[in-house]
């Protein structure tokens, strides 16, 4: 049963309570009486209600459930996982304290004193470490930090108290941090989290004994199950006062293990419980040098197989929504819906808006542009859902451990595994999660090489080019797809080795990663993570990518030019054919003439559009930049595609579909057919020869082509120079490799 | 070669393109120009306006 435990405010214990962390406390706390008070009045010496809500810093070792508790108390839903170091920045949330409901007018805002601002901080093992997370925590506790935005409004002040979350199954190590806070004289409340796991392992600590040892309130709770949260709200409503730091605990580690021993006295030690034995047995396999690598390959293979197998169906559905119904969807839809969605949102827009520039703008600039990106939403959602489930089981930390052996020769630590894995969905979260890499040089290396891994935005380009290369040979197409991923990883680790041997030279820090206990993954956490990622992606598609598509549409639509002579000739011939057929007597001859005239008019439209595109501002830019890409085999049309996708590589496919397929095409097969049949200005040489396809494929595997990634690199690496270095290196590697691939393919007769 | 300046739809789409270009440029330019990203308030931790990164002065 959840309960709040703290020393009774007797004269001796009251002094203890006023001077938490003082030498007097520890020596007197052993004989202080204990009271269990689920909701008692504030004792003398407690902090009076301040003018603004009190601030409570949430501290604890990594992976003790701080963010889960933070989410539970504040009603927010920040990312949580069963992986150490998930929280990488401080966050603020307002917490309703125990008596808020009774004391507050429901119609009005909650009175100060009944709410508190909780600051969720990254997990740390000690305040004294020289790591970014520890520095953040020290700055928050010293009042030098400001949490911008949110409920706190960016106020910089020391927190009124500290709520330390400790893992009830691993008290000895967790109490070191508690001791440090007590030593600094910080008013401290201890949340004894994962009490349900400790109970199940028959190793539940005695909260009373622990409170007595520590001299501060100790609340057993389970952040996942919600157990003990009411008691915790009571404890936070009744905060102890701040004291002057006046003493140091001489041997913090010995003190912590002594306190832990007293709390679990008489109970079997956790290392011999059934749960630990099971964990040890599983770990023996999954962290084994050989078997661990096999398990890792199987898990990752299963993850990507599931990803590509399952994501195809919702992707088809989204494609149908924007571009037109796929056959399987039309089969079960009522006629009216199939008719309305027959040409997708693009066609619907053209039906609703009168023909003109505005209709073209909405249909081709906005809907088609965003649709070409949103189609990849299912893959991104599924990848993050699966990664979240893996994290929650506790396996991902083992995966990082296994990867440490493989990455270490390239100068990367096992910590880099999670950023590199995340980058396979999108480089942005991957680079941000590199904050979990403790060593500064290794962190910077991880940031610089993470964009080499194949992100979701590359997939449409791969699909297009591999389909053009191996359209009717699925086995070769699958191998080429795997090869794209492999080349990206090789480029990443190779570049890492080069960076670590030159500009980021330095000794590697040994990897120390706490392996969390295995848990059944939380579906709720996985779904919330997926939802958050989907929102981020949709926000990007609805802002940056939409803006780029609009600009591209405008540049590709103006200035207007007169139709070329060939288009005029085709239309005139078609008209003459129709007129001649009017005097024909055979109905079959009339029908044939009309069919042929239609085809000639369509060809005339195509020729006119191609001419207009070539003469547009975008076409001019493509022609101007074409000499740079000529050695790679690209003509001006492909150069437009490469330039337009500089900001976001997935734009390449939509640009190609606009340049080659024409606006009226809505089916994907039609687009592929027209792209594969596209010719250069001479009208006979194909644009997409096998050599050009290989060159483009290699280029897109290795090139940066992502503006948001550069911005995030500049922010995370601490300067734009790193982003420019990343851009220059990736562009150089991509250009050189594409050149070699093109020449090699030509030499082999491709 | 001409630009349809007599068509109000041209001006509407041009305005949208200018706004879109400004939005894209906003992410690239330093703070203060077009309200660049550096001026955005984010719910992240700063110390006197800068990211923490120095040892604690005790």
């Amino acid at each position: 049963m959840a309960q709040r435990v703290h020393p009774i405010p007797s004269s001796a214990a009251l002094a203890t309570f006023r001077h938490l962390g003082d030498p007097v406390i520890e020596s007197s706390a052993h004989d202080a009486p204990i009271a269990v008070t689920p909701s008692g009045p504030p004792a003398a010496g407690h902090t009076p209600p301040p003018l603004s809500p009190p601030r409570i810093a949430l501290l604890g070792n990594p992976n003790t459930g701080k963010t889960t508790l933070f989410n539970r108390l504040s009603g927010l839903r920040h990312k949580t996982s069963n992986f150490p170091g998930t929280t990488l920045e401080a966050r603020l949330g307002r917490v309703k304290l125990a008596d808020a409901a009774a004391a507050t007018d429901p119609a009005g805002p909650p009175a100060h004193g009944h709410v508190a601002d909780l600051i969720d901080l990254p997990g740390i093992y000690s305040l004294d470490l020289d790591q970014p997370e520890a520095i953040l925590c020290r700055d928050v506790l010293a009042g030098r930090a400001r949490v911008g935005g949110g409920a706190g409004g960016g106020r910089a002040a020391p927190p009124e108290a500290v709520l330390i979350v400790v893992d009830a199954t691993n008290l000895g190590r967790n109490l070191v941090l508690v001791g440090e806070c007590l030593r600094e004289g910080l008013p401290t409340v201890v949340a004894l989290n994962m009490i349900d796991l400790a109970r199940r392992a028959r190793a539940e600590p005695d909260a009373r004994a622990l409170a007595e040892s520590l001299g501060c309130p100790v609340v057993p709770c389970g952040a996942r199950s919600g157990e003990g949260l009411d008691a915790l709200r009571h404890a936070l409503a009744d905060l102890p006062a701040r004291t002057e730091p006046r003493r140091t605990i001489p041997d913090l580690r010995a003190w912590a293990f002594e306190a832990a021993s007293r709390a679990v006295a008489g109970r079997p030690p956790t290392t011999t419980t059934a749960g630990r034995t099971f964990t040890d047995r599983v770990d023996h396999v999954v962290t084994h040098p050989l078997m661990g690598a096999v398990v890792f390959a199987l898990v990752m293979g299963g993850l990507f197989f599931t990803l590509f197998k399952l994501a195809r169906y919702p992707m088809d559905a989204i494609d149908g929504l924007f571009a037109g119904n796929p056959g399987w969807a039309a089969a079960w839809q009522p006629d009216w819906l199939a008719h309305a969605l027959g040409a997708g949102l693009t066609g619907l827009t053209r039906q609703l808006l009168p023909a003109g520039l505005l209709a073209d703008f909405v249909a081709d600039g906005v809907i088609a542009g965003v649709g070409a990106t949103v189609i990849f939403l299912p893959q991104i959602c599924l990848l993050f859902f699966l990664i979240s489930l893996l994290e929650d089981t506790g396996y991902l930390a083992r995966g990082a451990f296994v990867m440490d052996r493989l990455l270490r020769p390239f100068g990367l630590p096992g910590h880099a595994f999670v950023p590199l894995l995340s980058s396979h969905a999108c480089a942005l979260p991957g680079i941000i999660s590199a904050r979990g890499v403790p060593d500064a040089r290794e962190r910077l290396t991880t940031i610089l090489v993470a964009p080499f891994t194949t992100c979701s935005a590359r997939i449409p380009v791969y699909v297009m080019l591999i389909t053009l290369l191996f359209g009717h040979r699925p086995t070769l197409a699958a191998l080429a797809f795997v090869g794209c991923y492999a080349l990206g990883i090789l480029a990443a680790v190779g570049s890492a080795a080069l960076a670590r041997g030159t500009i980021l030279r330095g000794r590697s820090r040994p990897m120390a990663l706490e392996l969390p206990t295995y848990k059944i993954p939380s579906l709720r956490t996985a779904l919330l993570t997926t939802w958050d990622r989907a929102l981020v992606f949709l926000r990007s598609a609805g802002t940056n990518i939409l803006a780029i598509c609009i600009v591209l549409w405008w540049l590709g639509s103006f200035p207007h030019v007169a139709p070329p002579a060939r288009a005029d000739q085709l239309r005139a011939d078609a008209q003459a054919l129709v007129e001649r057929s009017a005097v024909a007597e055979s109905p079959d001859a009339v029908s044939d003439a009309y069919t042929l005239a239609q085809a000639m008019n369509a060809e005339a439209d195509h020729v006119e559009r191609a001419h207009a595109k070539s003469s547009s501002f975008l076409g001019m830019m493509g022609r101007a930049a074409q000499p740079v890409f000529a050695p790679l085999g690209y003509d001006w049309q492909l150069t437009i595609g490469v330039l337009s996708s500089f900001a976001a590589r997935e734009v390449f496919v939509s640009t190609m579909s606009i340049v080659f397929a024409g606006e009226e095409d809505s089916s994907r097969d039609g687009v592929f057919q027209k792209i594969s049949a596209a010719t250069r200005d001479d009208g006979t040489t194909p644009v997409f020869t096998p050599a050009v396809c290989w060159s483009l494929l290699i280029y897109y595997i290795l090139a940066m082509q992502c503006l948001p990634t550069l911005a995030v690199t500049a922010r995370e690496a601490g300067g734009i120079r790193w982003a420019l270095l990343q851009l220059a290196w990736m562009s150089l590697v991509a250009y050189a490799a594409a050149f070699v691939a093109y020449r090699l393919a030509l030499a082999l007769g491709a | 070669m001409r630009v349809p300046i007599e068509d109000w739809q041209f001006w509407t789409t041009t305005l949208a393109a200018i706004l879109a270009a400004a939005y894209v440029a906003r992410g690239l330019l330093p703070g203060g120009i077009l309200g660049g990203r550096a001026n955005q308030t984010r719910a992240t931790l700063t110390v006197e306006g800068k990211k923490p990164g120095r040892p604690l002065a005790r």
Side-chain angles (χ1 to χ4, degrees), chain A residues 89-90 128 135-136 138-139 144-148 184 356-358 361 543-544 547 551 554 558-560 707 711 715, chain B residues 1-2 4 7 9-10 13-14 16-17 20-21 23-24 28 37 42-47 49 51-52 54 56 58:
Chain A
E89 60 187 12
D128 289 330
I135 294 170
L136 285 182
R138 288 201 299 260
D139 285 335
R144 291 193 300 271
R146 178 182 300 118
V147 181
E184 296 294 324
L357 282 175
L358 211 53
F361 168 74
T543 52
N544 292 323
V551 173
W554 193 93
F558 302 108
H560 286 172
L707 217 48
R715 192 185 76 193
Chain B
M1 191 176 283
R2 68 182 189 87
D7 187 350
Q9 294 190 12
F10 166 74
T13 56
T14 301
Y23 186 86
V24 174
L28 305 176
R37 278 186 184 163
R42 300 175 68 89
T44 52
L45 199 67
T46 59
V47 179
K51 284 174 77 172
R54 63 186 186 285
L56 178 66
R58 288 183 186 274

Side-chain angles (χ1 to χ4, degrees), chain A residues 19-338:
Chain A
H19 301 283
L20 285 172
D22 198 274
V24 179
I25 300 170
E26 195 182 35
S27 59
S28 63
H30 299 305
D31 53 6
I34 295 293
V36 179
T37 53
S39 59
H46 284 210
T47 310
L51 293 175
S52 56
R55 300 186 127 204
I56 301 168
L58 188 60
L59 275 179
N61 285 185
N63 212 40
T64 51
K66 292 178 296 303
T67 302
T68 306
L69 188 64
F70 175 83
N71 288 344
R72 280 276 186 182
L73 289 173
S74 66
L76 297 174
R77 47 182 188 79
H78 288 299
K79 177 176 167 56
T80 61
S81 75
N82 189 19
F83 189 91
T86 302
T87 301
L88 297 166
E89 60 187 12
R91 292 176 291 218
L92 204 64
R94 185 150 291 184
V95 182
K96 218 178 216 183
L97 301 182
D99 51 348
T104 306
D105 175 9
H112 292 157
H114 301 294
V115 293
D117 285 339
L118 200 59
I119 307 170
D120 185 22
L121 291 166
I124 52 169
Y125 291 106
S126 168
L127 284 167
D128 289 330
L129 296 176
D130 189 24
Q131 289 180 351
E133 298 89 346
I135 294 170
L136 285 182
C137 293
R138 288 201 299 260
D139 285 335
V140 166
L141 296 181
R144 291 193 300 271
R146 178 182 300 118
V147 181
R155 183 162 57 95
E160 275 75 11
V162 178
L163 172 61
I164 304 185
V165 183
V166 300
D167 180 352
T169 65
N170 196 351
L171 265 187
R173 195 202 59 221
N174 280 245
L175 289 182
V176 173
L177 184 63
V178 177
E180 287 179 348
C181 290
L182 294 175
R183 191 171 59 181
E184 296 294 324
L186 299 167
T188 301
V189 175
V190 172
L192 200 54
N193 196 24
M194 305 188 200
I195 196 71
D196 45 344
L197 290 181
R199 193 179 297 135
R200 208 174 305 149
R202 299 192 303 277
E204 182 181 359
D206 184 343
R208 290 177 177 222
L210 191 59
E212 188 179 354
S213 294
L214 303 179
C216 68
V218 175
V219 184
C221 63
R224 272 190 160 210
S225 62
E227 176 185 344
L229 295 191
D230 286 341
L232 195 56
R233 287 178 195 276
H234 281 292
L236 295 177
D238 196 13
L239 290 174
R242 175 176 282 274
T243 60
E244 289 298 320
R246 278 185 286 168
R247 65 171 281 253
T248 56
I249 299 171
D251 186 347
L252 209 55
R253 198 163 294 275
W255 172 87
F257 278 92
E258 191 187 331
S261 302
R262 278 200 295 271
V264 294
R267 293 172 171 81
T270 54
T271 49
T272 61
T273 61
R276 286 288 177 183
T277 306
F278 170 76
T279 297
D280 289 344
R281 276 204 301 264
V282 175
D283 280 350
H284 181 69
V285 176
V286 298
T287 61
H288 187 272
L290 187 63
M291 286 186 290
V294 172
V295 170
F296 179 78
L298 288 175
V299 169
M300 290 297 117
L303 187 144
F304 281 106
F305 177 80
T306 310
L307 183 68
F308 289 113
K309 189 77 179 167
L310 295 185
R312 191 166 61 85
Y313 302 105
M315 285 174 78
D316 280 350
I318 293 175
D319 190 24
L321 178 68
F322 280 94
N325 259 330
W328 61 266
W332 54 262
Q333 285 172 351
D335 287 345
W336 63 270
L337 187 59

Side-chain angles (χ1 to χ4, degrees), chain A residues 547-559:
Chain A
I548 291 166
C549 287
I550 289 173
V551 173
L552 276 178
W553 176 87
W554 193 93
L555 291 172
S557 301
F558 302 108

Side-chain angles (χ1 to χ4, degrees), chain A residues 712-734:
Chain A
V712 171
T713 294
R715 192 185 76 193
E716 296 296 317
I720 197 165
R721 68 184 188 281
W722 293 111
L724 293 176
L725 175 69
Q726 188 181 50
L727 173 66
W729 173 246
M730 291 185 71
S731 301
L732 181 70
V733 170

